[in-house]
């Protein structure tokens, strides 16, 4: 799941992660986390700290869902 094609957006371009990621696969969640982390890194580099902080919350949310998806996959 790619959210940010252009990781040099401004805060008003913020696209939140969907409210529920429950039905996403381990692979799509991993891809989402990688995309968000890349975007966050670019926002830090470009001095957009506020945007990077907001994306940090989305990264944590996606990581939590990834943990649950891995458990579900084992079962």
């Amino acid at each position: 799941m790619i959210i940010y094609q252009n990781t040099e957006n401004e805060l008003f371009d913020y696209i939140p992660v969907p409210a529920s990621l429950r039905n996403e696969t381990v692979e799509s969640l991993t891809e989402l986390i990688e995309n968000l982390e890349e975007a966050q890194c670019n926002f830090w580099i470009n001095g957009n700290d506020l945007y990077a902080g907001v994306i940090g919350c989305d990264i944590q949310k996606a990581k939590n869902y990834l943990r649950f998806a891995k458990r579900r996959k084992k079962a």
Side-chain angles (χ1 to χ4, degrees), residues 33-45:
I33 292 167
E34 289 171 358
N35 179 242
L36 290 171
E37 287 175 340
E38 181 181 335
Q40 184 183 44
C41 182
N42 286 330
F43 295 138
W44 284 121
I45 290 169

Side-chain angles (χ1 to χ4, degrees), residues 18-74:
S20 176
L21 299 171
R22 182 175 296 178
N23 296 325
E24 297 296 328
T25 65
V26 171
E27 294 78 19
S28 69
L29 287 168
T30 302
E31 181 182 32
L32 172 63
I33 292 167
E34 289 171 358
N35 179 242
L36 290 171
E37 287 175 340
E38 181 181 335
Q40 184 183 44
C41 182
N42 286 330
F43 295 138
W44 284 121
I45 290 169
N46 293 321
N48 201 338
D49 299 346
L50 185 58
Y51 206 165
V54 171
I55 289 189
C57 295
D58 287 341
I59 292 170
Q60 188 57 48
K61 178 180 179 180
K63 284 183 178 182
N64 288 339
Y65 275 99
L66 177 62
R67 194 171 330 126
F68 294 129
K70 285 181 179 179
R71 287 184 195 163
R72 188 174 58 231
K73 191 174 183 178
K74 286 182 182 178

Side-chain angles (χ1 to χ4, degrees), residues 2-17 35-36 39 43 46 48 50-52 54-55 58:
I2 300 294
I3 291 184
Y4 295 104
Q5 297 293 340
N6 175 9
T7 55
E8 296 182 14
N9 295 333
E10 296 297 327
L11 186 57
F12 57 83
D13 295 322
Y14 173 65
I15 303 168
V17 169
N35 179 242
L36 290 171
F43 295 138
N46 293 321
N48 201 338
L50 185 58
Y51 206 165
V54 171
I55 289 189
D58 287 341

